Amino acid sequence: MKNDKTIGELLEKLSQGAREVTFDYDCSDTVMQDFQTIMAEHPELFWLTGSCRYGKSVRGNEVRVTLVPEIMIDDEELNRRRKAFDRAVDAFVSACRSDSEFETVLKIHDAIIDKTEYNFASANALSAGVRNDEAAVRGMSAYACLVDGHAVCSGYAKAFQVIASKLGIRAGRVHGIKLDGSGPHEWNIVTVNGQPYHLDVTWDDPVFAKGVQGFRSYDYFCVTTEEILRTHGIDRDSDAPLCTATESNYFVKKGWCLDWYEFEKAADVIRSQLGSDTVYLKFPDKAALDEAAEDLFKKQRVFEIREVLEKYNSLQTSTTVNGTLAIRFLKK
């Protein structure tokens, strides 16, 4: 059970950059859990790697517990990075502010993707068990995402959490695995208009997007638990709520979802997006998606849409396991 008193004192000291925190009472049973609570809720403390050690001393009736967090940079560098981080956060907050929660979350999602490249070198080092390389470990931080511009999945998720919090959006992180067997993964839970959703900024980055390449994907923007579990596994100790709402799903909000395939309805959705870099249709299952792909592309009925035929003579397409059909029309 967490200790609110210990968390408060620990957060105050860690926020100041303390390299050790001493308590004059026995909190040894909870201090490690309290530290991890802070790590989960305060990714703005980017200089903390998440590792720590603690010791307990007893002299007569006096008890002291000292926690020492792992910090891999010196005070001068820490101060420099804190200033750079604060500037970056302010810039993101200014750019992502909006009148609606949906638009705010969308702007944060897009801004992080546009700013950040996935750090494969850091990911490979961490997968190999490297933990003494500051550059590799930094890749897991919000700093890496918002300032360096390259991070691994936890860096994306922490950056989203920091910016969302600054803009009054409730967000947390989920630890899990990729069901393709490629290792651990981290993404966000975000609350939009009172409803929780899964949101995976990393997998919407073009480097991972399975849709038309080179543009942001929205396959993992405000999705349900059922949908995220098609490709992700959630760790048992992750406190992830059951997400069932669909109102703030990107494709639902845009009006690009079809409950089944019907040519005229699909044509209307396509017409509504012509002129965009990528045109999307979203289906609830693979059967409807396959039916759409067969009819629109193999039978080339997409060119029966007058507005398409007038401007385009070729296209690129791709589909995803989430039921998304992406189209890039190429001008004549």
Side-chain angles (χ1 to χ4, degrees):
M1 181 179 296
K2 67 181 183 180
N3 185 321
D4 289 339
K5 178 183 177 182
T6 303
I7 289 176
E9 294 178 14
L10 190 55
L11 177 58
E12 180 182 3
K13 295 296 185 182
L14 293 176
S15 298
Q16 296 169 359
R19 293 180 178 270
E20 67 174 45
V21 182
T22 299
F23 306 90
D24 59 3
Y25 55 92
D26 190 358
C27 57
S28 57
D29 289 342
T30 66
V31 69
M32 293 292 281
Q33 179 185 344
D34 296 336
F35 176 77
Q36 292 306 324
T37 295
I38 289 172
M39 292 301 301
E41 297 178 356
H42 295 276
E44 70 275 12
L45 305 181
F46 62 84
W47 56 91
L48 303 175
T49 68
S51 296
C52 68
R53 55 186 172 83
Y54 80 97
K56 174 182 174 181
S57 64
V58 180
R59 178 178 296 178
N61 293 327
E62 293 182 358
V63 177
R64 287 183 178 272
V65 174
T66 299
L67 182 134
V68 181
E70 182 181 53
I71 300 175
M72 301 180 75
I73 53 177
D74 61 29
D75 287 342
E76 182 178 356
E77 179 64 12
L78 173 55
N79 290 332
R80 186 193 69 79
R81 290 190 190 180
R82 290 185 72 164
K83 292 176 182 177
F85 184 74
D86 289 344
R87 288 194 299 269
V89 169
D90 288 345
F92 270 85
V93 168
S94 178
C96 296
R97 196 179 302 279
S98 182
D99 292 335
S100 76
E101 290 190 349
F102 173 83
E103 289 296 333
T104 298
V105 171
L106 180 60
K107 284 186 175 183
I108 300 170
H109 170 277
D110 290 356
I112 289 175
I113 288 174
D114 291 348
K115 166 72 176 180
T116 313
E117 294 183 6
Y118 189 79
N119 191 333
F120 286 99
S122 178
N124 292 336
L126 294 168
S127 295
V130 174
R131 290 295 184 274
N132 60 353
D133 184 305
E134 193 277 325
V137 173
R138 187 171 76 244
M140 298 189 292
S141 70
Y143 180 94
C145 185
L146 300 177
V147 180
D148 292 341
H150 46 80
V152 298
C153 60
S154 54
Y156 282 72
K158 289 172 182 175
F160 181 90
Q161 186 181 7
V162 167
I163 304 304
S165 176
K166 289 284 187 179
L167 289 167
I169 302 293
R170 183 180 174 188
R173 304 194 309 278
V174 183
H175 299 275
I177 60 170
K178 310 166 193 174
L179 293 187
D180 62 6
S182 58
H185 190 45
E186 190 169 340
W187 63 98
N188 293 104
I189 290 286
V190 61
T191 299
V192 183
N193 298 325
Q195 298 291 338
Y197 298 88
H198 289 271
L199 188 148
D200 190 339
V201 184
T202 308
W203 278 22
D204 277 347
D205 192 307
V207 72
F208 289 106
K210 301 298 189 293
V212 173
Q213 295 298 305
F215 294 93
R216 303 183 216 100
S217 169
Y218 297 93
D219 262 17
Y220 298 96
F221 186 95
C222 291
V223 300
T224 64
T225 298
E226 184 277 329
E227 188 162 355
I228 202 74
L229 288 177
R230 297 177 191 176
T231 50
H232 298 53
I234 300 173
D235 287 352
R236 291 181 180 179
D237 59 354
S238 271
D239 187 20
L242 178 65
C243 302
T244 59
T246 60
E247 291 87 348
S248 293
N249 173 270
Y250 180 79
F251 300 106
V252 171
K253 197 77 171 179
K254 294 291 185 179
W256 300 340
C257 284
L258 296 174
D259 293 332
W260 62 86
Y261 174 69
E262 183 180 312
F263 176 75
E264 287 301 333
K265 289 185 177 180
D268 286 342
V269 173
I270 291 171
R271 287 189 191 98
S272 72
Q273 299 177 67
L274 287 178
S276 302
D277 291 324
T278 307
V279 171
Y280 296 100
L281 294 95
K282 181 67 180 279
F283 297 95
D285 53 48
K286 187 176 185 299
L289 178 66
D290 290 347
E291 183 181 355
E294 169 77 16
D295 192 48
L296 290 171
F297 308 128
K298 190 169 183 180
K299 296 180 181 179
Q300 296 200 359
R301 290 195 69 196
V302 68
F303 291 106
E304 292 181 17
I305 303 171
R306 179 176 57 82
E307 293 86 348
V308 172
L309 184 61
E310 288 176 350
K311 295 182 179 180
Y312 308 100
N313 60 5
S314 61
L315 49 81
Q316 298 173 341
T317 68
S318 61
T319 60
T320 77
V321 295
N322 294 56
T324 303
L325 176 60
I327 312 167
R328 180 184 295 169
F329 288 105
L330 305 176
K331 291 185 178 181
K332 292 182 178 181

